[in-house]
Structure formats: C-alpha cells, structure tokens
Amino acid sequence: MKYRFGRPFPTDAVIKQVPLSSGSPAHFSLSREGELVTLSYPLSEGDAVYGLGEQMRGMNKRGWRYESWNLDDPIHHESRTNLYGAHNFFLVFGRECFGVFVDCAGRVEFDVGFTDRNVLAVTAKDFDLYLFEGASPLEIVREFRALIGRSYIPPKWAFGFAQSRWGYKTEADIREVYENYEKAGLPLDMLFLDIDYMERFKDFTVDKTRFPDLKAFSAEMKKKNIRLVPIIDAAVKVEKGYPVYEEGKKKGYFCTDEKGKPFIAGVWPGNSVLPDVLNPEARRWFGRKYKILLDKGIEGFWNDMNEPVLFYSEAGLKEALRLASETKEIACLDDYERVSHAFFSLQNNDDDYRTFYHETENGRIVHEAVHNLYGYNMTRAAAEYFAEYAPKKRFLIFSRSSCVGMHRYGGIWTGDNSAWWSHLLLNLQQLPGLNMCGFLFAGADLGGFGGDTTEELLLRWLALGVFVPLMRNHCNGSRPQECYRFTRTDVFRNILGIRYSLLPYLYSEFVRCAFENDMLFKPLSFCYPEDRRAATVEDQLLVGDSLMIAPVYTQNAAGRYVYLPERMKLIRMKAGDRFTEQVLEKGEYYIPVALDEVVFFLRSGKVLPLAKPAKNTAELDEKNLTWVKFTETPVQFTLCRDGGTSEIGKEDFETVTVEP
Ligand code: GLC
C-alpha cells in the first residue's frame, strides 16, 4: 500500500508503479504540525523493530531515536542519531508483523521508543509511505526489495582482500605495500589510492610527480592480479584553468546559491563547488569524467565526502572571521565561546544546506529538501557511465553516503569508524539492516579507520571480515595496520587465506541473495521466529543459508558465549581449507576461540563448499572444492561459477548434489 504526504521529490528508489491508496495507513495514527506529519504506532512489550540500515545501536532499534540526514561524523559514539546513509526501511516484528518504507529525499526522524518506550513515531514532510504486510520478516524484506530493484553485484575480484591507507602518497608507497604483502605471502586483490594520488585533491587528475604513469602502473599491477582503486570526492576545486571546474562552471553544472552563482564551500582542495548530480545533464557530465581514469585501466572506485561534506561555506567562514577580528579581547568564557562556536559550527552546518540549489527535472530546488539523494546520485553518475563505457562489464564502485535506490548502482562502506572494540560489534550489527535496504556489497574499515589499532583487535576484526563482502583494511594517519606490520604474520596469512577458502560459498550466496532479494546477513530471529531467546541475540548472525557466526569482540577474550538456536556443527579453521568439527545440540555454550582461528557454525541439513586458500581471486581454484557437511540426506547447493566480470546468466549457476 502506498500513501502520499505533501509533494515528495522523486527519489527513484522504487522501480515499480504502485497506485496510491486512499484513506490513512493501517497500524498508525496520524498527527500534523505545519507541513510535518507524524505517524505513531503503539509498541507492545515484545515488539522488536529491525532495519534503518547503517544506524548505530544494535539490530533491534527499539530504545533510541534515529534521523535520516546524511552526515560525516568521523568519531561516532553511541549517542549519534544519524550517519552517512538514509536507509528509511524498517519492520515491526512482534504482536504484528509489517514493514514501512519512508520514501523521502529530505530529513526523516524515527523515534523508536525513545520518548516513550511504547511508542514508535516517524516524522517527515513530503514523502511517500509504503506499507508491507507479510507472514514473516523475511517475506516482508523480499517484498520491499522486489519493489526497489536488484542489488548491485561487483566484479568477483572485489570480494578479495583490500589494503588501503590515507597516507600512501606515491607509486613507490603503493609498490612497497604490494611487495610487503607478496614477501609475507599474504593474499591481496586490491590496493586503494586515497586523495594524495590527485594533483592538489582535484578530481580526475593524477599527480605526475607521484604517479608518473598511472596507466602503466595499473597495467603492471593488474598483471600481478592487483587492482588499483582510486577515490573520487564530491567537491570540485575552484581553480582557474582546471578543466573540470571551468567546464562545469560554463555549463551551469554546479549547485548554485540564492543569486544563481556557484555555491562555494571548503572541502579537501580548499574552496570548491558541488557538481549538481540531481540535474540529469550535469550527472551525465560528471559520470563521463570517470573515463579519464577508466582509460588508464582503472576498474574500481570509491566515492567519498558525498553527504556532501562542507567544512565551511564561503559565507559562513567570512562571518566567523569577521566576528573573530571584531573581538579585540577575550574577557570572559562567553567571549571565548562566541568566537570558538563561530568556527566549530562551520562544518556541515544545517543553515548552509538551506542556501544552495539544484536544477532538477522538477525545477529549482533547495538542497535541504533533497539532501539525502546527493551521494546516491554521485554514485549513480559513475555507474550509469560505466554502463555506457563498457556495457557488459562489471566495475567496482562503492560510496560513503547513500540512500535506498543507490543499492542498484553500487555498494557502500560504513565511513570513518574507530579502532574500538565497540565498532567491531557495530560493524556486525549494521550488516542486517543494510541488507534489508538492498545494500549487499558493504563493509567497514577493518581494524578501524581512526585511532591506533592493535594486533588483537585487527585479528578479531578480520575474523568477522572474512565473511563480509567488502573486506578492506583502511585507516588514516594512525598506527600503520597493514597485515605485515605485526608479529604474527603467519596468523594473518592463515586468516586471509580462510577468506579465499570461503569465497565460493560467499560469492554464490551473495549472488543468490541479489537475485532472490534475500539477505546475506540475518538476525537469528528472522530464521527462528518462534524462538524467544534467539530474538534477544544481538551479536551473532546467520551468513547465507548455511552458516551462523559469533565473532569475538572484546579485548583479551579467550572465547565467548554463543546461543545455538538449533543443533549445529561447530567448525574451527586455523589454516588452509582444513578444519575440525564438533556437533552441538541447541543451547547456550561458552566457546573458546583462540586469536589464530576462525570459528563458525554449520546449520543442520546444510553444506559448505571450501576452496584451497589462494593468493588472489584470479588464482582461486573453484573446481576442486572440499565440502563440509552436516546432513544425513543428499543436499543441493547452487554455486555461481561465472567469470566474475560480466553479466551473470542462468548458465552460470550450477546446482551440486552433495552426498552425506
Ligand atoms: C574521509 C574518508 C576516508 C578517507 C579520507 C581521506 O574521511 O571517509 O576513508 O581516507 O576522507 O580521503
């Protein structure tokens, strides 16, 4: 059922025509305050609320408030109400079972039992509301996903291991990382180029002194089965003679201020302008710029700073400077706070988002009303151009900011996390919500982006990362955290090797989930809906159809408590495709987990294909598989055996019958 409130801006999140229903939506009571509409639902004691994608605070969202307002918060704590994505789908599971999608380009508030533990309230203006009824959470998710279209599938090599760091500056730096991985016998598929590869942070330029011949370098690396993946930022440097700036300005492709002049804000390159990716013509123009790097043999990108981040607006900075220069002396705390506030409030200031405009097919529109569509459309720009550039080829593209709808064009990473144990758990808890919204290709910065990681934290994080589609170690200028930096290189080698052993399973299940609108990561309650204990488990996940994981996420742990919702087989992997197994009955267990192993569980009646560990995805032997089995009757498993770089067809699936 679809209901309309106000005049929603078309987000293109939904790909099917749904007729508008009359009357008011079931389940909710309605109230209005000006243009704002609030929908309220009385929560019963046992009701859980799942969804909202990348938001903080657990899989069951009940007990906190959340906002969809895409924002960069590089040091996000538990009190954060909004992050990089707008993922406005949730479902209520308890006394009733229904799903809700708030299709809205602007700000949405979700009070999920925050003001009143027993009331769920959604507040927004100008939106379409979709209601989904179904017998189970999974059925509702499938219905929703069918409505928003098939999830993005990256090339197979993007499922390999990736090393990144904001700090690699030159070709020599990248080569050194490669050589160290090689020397240490550590598997690797991708090396990431952060902003320093550019000429003074200018999009679609390459600093010639640092990377004299990127085309030759990328070809050389590709021969070694390594892909270079450069970053692209949203903001374009204001600089005379810089073709991207000059061209965009001449054609009117940048967002404009009230007077119709390009809106200027500060990002990495200093004063910058924002490509108007909501203007279809400007979006096409920006997308075509990726050609510059595609022509150099680049096949993957990450799109960043596209919430979009504004370190300051030109007008805001001027005002803060004026205030500071007028303040002749700081006589009291108030003086200090006035001046410091003027500067601290410059970044991502809500007022600034009200002062610039987009030229859309629906006319000129203030950014605030369409804020959450920016990163989505920047990534769409790239993906639409890739489809023109090489129609059948799959490229890697993922974005920091996103909105439902973007899941068809690219994946995401969950932004700037920290080297904290709590963010390891957050990583796990974000995954099902993201899958519900169609984001299957996702991952967090393993080891933590900000702050100093430790060998123990990184190893534990990798033991989760081996199951996550985007497996990238990325950090900023903190302690170097490449896998060869620590004492136990052999352990890192083994754990990365396990990722490659798991790849036939992960990849096949990923593709199946994309085609069947399924979730790769499910909370236990989605598969064991009658089990009250399963409903409270916040630190375990089902991965695909066969596995359950229960990663360790605390310091100095020797293991952890695990709940088994059914009889399962515990699998312990230390190295290679070798494993030990132990059958456990349904129940609660303390499971020892050493730092040098990956432990997980195989469900009853299921099987798991394992390949031999490989150096990279190109060298992975997917023909000779070992099957881990927990079955007394023959079981079928469908492998996806496509080449990994072009469209996937029916002929690429092979259903194997595995004998007990
Ligand atoms: C942002 C990104 C981070 C990147 C940095 C520099 O903080 O989230 O991943 O390393 O910018 O480009």
Side-chain angles (χ1 to χ4, degrees):
M1 305 283 268
K2 173 180 177 181
Y3 303 86
R4 177 156 291 177
F5 298 90
R7 298 177 53 219
F9 183 87
T11 64
D12 296 343
V14 166
I15 59 160
K16 290 183 182 167
Q17 290 286 342
V18 181
L20 278 177
S21 298
S22 53
S24 49
H27 308 289
F28 291 99
S29 60
L30 275 178
S31 63
R32 288 173 201 266
E33 207 184 308
E35 290 172 290
L36 285 178
V37 177
T38 297
L39 297 134
S40 306
Y41 175 76
L43 289 166
S44 303
E45 196 41 45
D47 285 352
V49 179
Y50 291 98
L52 301 182
E54 155 179 271
Q55 294 285 7
M56 307 275 309
R57 289 221 184 197
M59 294 189 243
N60 179 355
K61 293 294 182 221
R62 188 167 177 178
W64 187 242
R65 69 200 161 97
Y66 311 88
E67 247 181 314
S68 281
W69 181 258
N70 293 349
L71 179 83
D72 170 26
D73 178 358
I75 311 181
H76 41 271
H77 294 270
E78 231 180 277
S79 49
R80 187 78 255 158
T81 55
N82 52 325
L83 281 169
Y84 304 87
H87 305 144
N88 301 340
F89 174 72
F90 64 88
L91 60 83
V92 173
F93 180 38
R95 186 172 51 86
E96 298 182 294
C97 185
F98 63 94
V100 177
F101 175 48
V102 184
D103 191 7
C104 180
R107 191 186 294 268
V108 186
E109 288 174 20
F110 303 89
D111 182 331
V112 191
F114 171 76
T115 305
D116 176 340
R117 178 151 176 84
N118 295 322
V119 178
L120 162 73
V122 180
T123 304
K125 65 177 187 186
D126 297 325
F127 62 96
D128 281 338
L129 181 84
Y130 292 85
L131 276 186
F132 305 84
E133 309 289 341
S136 71
L138 269 178
E139 200 180 302
I140 288 169
V141 170
R142 284 217 172 89
E143 247 184 84
F144 171 57
R145 296 265 303 280
L147 190 74
I148 58 172
R150 202 183 85 190
S151 298
Y152 162 77
I153 303 177
K156 195 183 272 183
W157 51 262
F159 288 80
F161 179 67
Q163 182 60 56
S164 183
R165 177 177 172 85
W166 180 14
Y168 304 151
K169 285 196 158 57
T170 62
E171 186 180 305
D173 291 346
I174 298 285
R175 195 172 265 125
E176 186 188 320
V177 178
Y178 166 74
E179 279 161 8
N180 282 323
Y181 265 88
E182 178 73 13
K183 234 189 295 161
L186 293 159
L188 187 69
D189 263 274
M190 292 167 274
L191 284 166
F192 277 63
L193 308 185
D194 209 319
I195 48 176
D196 295 305
Y197 81 87
M198 299 180 200
E199 198 187 286
R200 282 173 289 120
F201 310 136
K202 283 160 23 189
D203 276 344
F204 311 113
T205 67
V206 178
D207 186 316
K208 278 272 179 312
T209 58
R210 296 174 174 188
F211 290 86
D213 189 347
L214 183 62
K215 188 171 179 179
F217 184 45
S218 101
E220 175 199 327
M221 292 311 280
K222 200 173 158 184
K223 269 203 199 115
K224 298 169 173 156
N225 294 316
I226 302 289
R227 256 79 175 192
L228 299 180
V229 183
I231 196 169
I232 300 292
D233 281 333
V236 166
K237 184 173 173 61
V238 172
E239 187 182 275
K240 245 192 149 100
Y242 164 37
V244 182
Y245 170 68
E246 296 283 10
E247 225 179 273
K249 192 174 151 202
K250 197 162 121 213
K251 299 207 160 131
Y253 288 161
F254 297 126
C255 295
T256 49
D257 64 15
E258 267 129 11
K259 295 190 184 120
K261 294 221 174 77
F263 168 78
I264 295 177
V267 197
W268 301 128
N271 278 359
S272 307
V273 284
L274 294 168
D276 186 358
V277 287
L278 294 180
N279 168 353
E281 210 182 295
R283 183 166 69 235
R284 235 169 285 129
W285 166 77
F286 191 74
R288 280 200 298 270
K289 294 288 167 232
Y290 285 79
K291 182 173 192 304
I292 295 169
L293 290 153
L294 292 167
D295 285 348
K296 296 188 192 305
I298 297 297
E299 296 170 296
F301 298 87
W302 46 314
N303 279 349
D304 193 21
M305 306 301 272
N306 49 5
E307 291 68 29
V309 171
L310 315 173
F311 291 159
Y312 59 80
S313 67
E314 196 182 37
L317 182 62
K318 224 186 224 165
E319 180 55 22
L321 289 168
R322 188 192 59 77
L323 191 89
S325 68
E326 272 178 10
T327 309
K328 296 295 173 227
E329 120 183 89
I330 303 277
C332 59
L333 190 62
D334 281 355
D335 290 346
Y336 167 73
E337 281 183 346
R338 205 179 50 252
V339 177
S340 66
H341 176 79
F343 286 92
F344 285 132
S345 63
L346 284 176
Q347 190 157 342
N348 304 325
N349 190 311
D350 279 356
D351 292 339
D352 287 330
Y353 291 115
R354 289 187 200 109
T355 65
F356 65 93
Y357 295 81
H358 299 269
E359 297 297 335
T360 77
E361 278 170 319
N362 296 278
R364 183 167 158 86
I365 189 154
V366 66
H367 175 80
E368 184 191 34
V370 290
H371 175 72
N372 291 337
L373 300 182
Y374 194 86
Y376 164 10
N377 280 281
M378 177 190 175
T379 300
R380 180 177 176 181
E384 285 177 342
Y385 180 66
F386 299 161
E388 251 176 64
Y389 185 82
K392 295 228 152 65
K393 186 171 162 133
R394 273 143 67 190
F395 290 87
L396 169 62
I397 177 84
F398 63 95
S399 173
R400 191 171 72 177
S401 184
S402 63
C403 181
V404 172
M406 201 203 86
H407 69 286
R408 299 193 301 270
Y409 299 101
I412 62 162
W413 91 100
T414 50
D416 294 350
N417 60 4
S418 298
W420 301 337
W421 290 94
S422 61
H423 276 188
L424 196 179
L425 177 60
L426 175 66
N427 181 184
L428 175 135
Q429 291 174 329
Q430 286 173 324
L431 290 165
L434 288 170
N435 281 191
M436 285 168 74
C437 292
F439 292 96
L440 294 181
F441 192 73
D445 290 350
L446 300 173
F449 173 74
D452 289 336
T453 202
T454 63
E455 181 170 37
E456 184 193 6
L457 176 57
L458 180 56
L459 280 171
R460 292 299 195 194
W461 214 323
L462 289 172
L464 163 63
V466 295
F467 297 98
V468 180
L470 170 61
M471 189 188 185
R472 183 178 73 145
N473 175 339
H474 177 53
C475 63
N476 64 10
S478 46
R479 175 186 190 175
Q481 62 186 45
E482 294 84 6
C483 295
Y484 52 80
R485 298 276 183 182
F486 303 92
T487 49
R488 304 179 66 180
T489 314
D490 54 327
V491 177
F492 283 94
R493 187 184 312 121
N494 290 339
I495 293 196
L496 296 188
I498 291 169
R499 159 59 162 224
Y500 285 82
S501 294
L502 288 167
L503 261 182
Y505 174 75
L506 279 180
Y507 181 75
S508 300
E509 282 294 271
F510 180 99
V511 173
R512 181 187 65 72
C513 288
F515 277 87
E516 294 178 0
N517 296 319
D518 199 354
M519 295 160 67
L520 185 64
F521 297 102
K522 298 184 189 96
L524 267 49
S525 57
F526 280 34
C527 290
Y528 307 92
E530 306 300 329
D531 185 334
R532 297 304 303 156
R533 172 72 182 97
T536 64
V537 175
E538 282 279 335
D539 56 0
Q540 301 174 204
L541 287 176
L542 295 152
V543 183
D545 203 33
S546 301
L547 305 184
M548 182 180 82
I549 59 169
V552 172
Y553 56 91
T554 52
Q555 185 168 296
N556 294 316
R560 54 159 289 177
Y561 285 94
V562 179
Y563 175 64
L564 265 59
E566 61 171 325
R567 194 162 183 253
M568 289 186 181
K569 202 177 238 186
L570 181 153
I571 311 293
R572 211 172 267 283
M573 290 180 81
K574 266 193 203 292
D577 56 347
R578 280 167 292 136
F579 56 91
T580 63
E581 47 187 16
Q582 179 189 1
V583 174
L584 295 174
E585 300 302 322
K586 170 179 169 151
E588 312 271 352
Y589 294 87
Y590 181 81
I591 307 286
V593 186
L595 206 49
D596 63 353
E597 55 188 5
V598 176
V599 170
F600 55 92
F601 303 85
L602 181 61
R603 297 172 66 191
S604 295
K606 307 288 179 185
V607 293
L608 165 72
L610 285 179
K612 291 249 173 299
K615 256 182 94 173
N616 50 56
T617 49
E619 291 180 23
L620 190 70
D621 175 5
E622 294 187 68
K623 292 264 146 55
N624 298 301
L625 301 174
T626 305
W627 291 88
V628 192
K629 309 166 193 177
F630 190 26
T631 176
E632 274 147 30
T633 52
V635 175
Q636 296 203 318
F637 186 88
T638 302
L639 288 160
C640 179
R641 291 195 188 271
D642 75 310
T645 53
S646 56
E647 279 172 9
I648 300 172
K650 279 207 173 69
E651 66 286 358
D652 295 315
F653 296 97
E654 187 194 337
T655 299
V656 186
T657 303
V658 184
E659 297 300 327

